[in-house]
Amino acid sequence: MDKIKIGDIVITAKDWKSPLSWFGHSAIMIDKYRLGEYPELGYGYYETDIILWLSKKKKFTVLRYKGFDEKFKKAFLKNVSNAKYKNYQIVSKTNNDAFYCSQYIWYLYWKTAKDLGYKLDIDFNGGYFVTPYDLLNSQYFDKVLFTP
């Protein structure tokens, strides 16, 4: 767990038994020990201990934004606090009235970059929606941890 840092994205494998997990799932490190996420319909924002969360997941990948420095971190954490109290809903990635798992992460990075004066779209294909696998294939991240 020492390899995982604030701002890292954890992507889990697809789960074909659950339609909402056909695209995988993603959560983001908000401090040294906790993930922030929008887990499923009926829940809003949720924070979970990373060890507990990963103990339930068999396959996952951890991504780190290549430009995540102290300046980005400070702005990022401010945006985490401001985006916690939304409902879970599948909406376009630019709609911040509600969030789903990967759109929440996309928004945090998009908004943080905007606050710092530059444009950033971490969505691999730049589509209307953003999936966990769009994040996984994005050029803006390094894979820092992987379980086969």
Side-chain angles (χ1 to χ4, degrees), residues 64-126:
R64 182 168 298 141
Y65 177 53
K66 295 174 183 178
F68 205 98
D69 57 15
E70 285 301 314
K71 185 177 179 181
F72 194 93
K73 179 180 176 180
K74 183 178 178 182
F76 173 84
L77 289 172
K78 179 182 172 190
N79 286 320
V80 167
S81 293
N82 292 337
K84 286 184 179 182
Y85 305 104
K86 308 284 182 167
N87 291 319
Y88 182 103
Q89 187 176 351
I90 306 295
V91 293
S92 74
K93 71 181 180 188
T94 57
N95 180 343
N96 65 352
D97 293 332
F99 291 117
Y100 56 92
C101 69
S102 48
Q103 182 231 2
Y104 168 65
I105 294 167
W106 178 89
Y107 174 79
L108 290 176
Y109 277 90
W110 174 84
K111 177 75 167 103
T112 300
K114 182 178 177 187
D115 291 348
L116 295 174
Y118 66 97
K119 291 183 180 182
L120 178 65
D121 186 351
I122 60 172
D123 181 355
F124 172 70
N125 64 9

Side-chain angles (χ1 to χ4, degrees), residues 121-143:
D121 186 351
I122 60 172
D123 181 355
F124 172 70
N125 64 9
Y128 185 75
F129 298 106
V130 58
T131 69
Y133 281 70
D134 286 330
L135 302 175
L136 186 63
N137 292 308
S138 176
Q139 66 183 1
Y140 296 102
F141 297 103
D142 289 322
K143 292 177 185 169

Side-chain angles (χ1 to χ4, degrees), residues 5 10-11 22 27-28 37 57 78 80-81 108 123 131:
K5 297 180 180 182
V10 183
I11 309 255
W22 287 353
I28 193 155
E37 66 179 321
K57 312 296 181 191
K78 179 182 172 190
V80 167
S81 293
L108 290 176
D123 181 355
T131 69

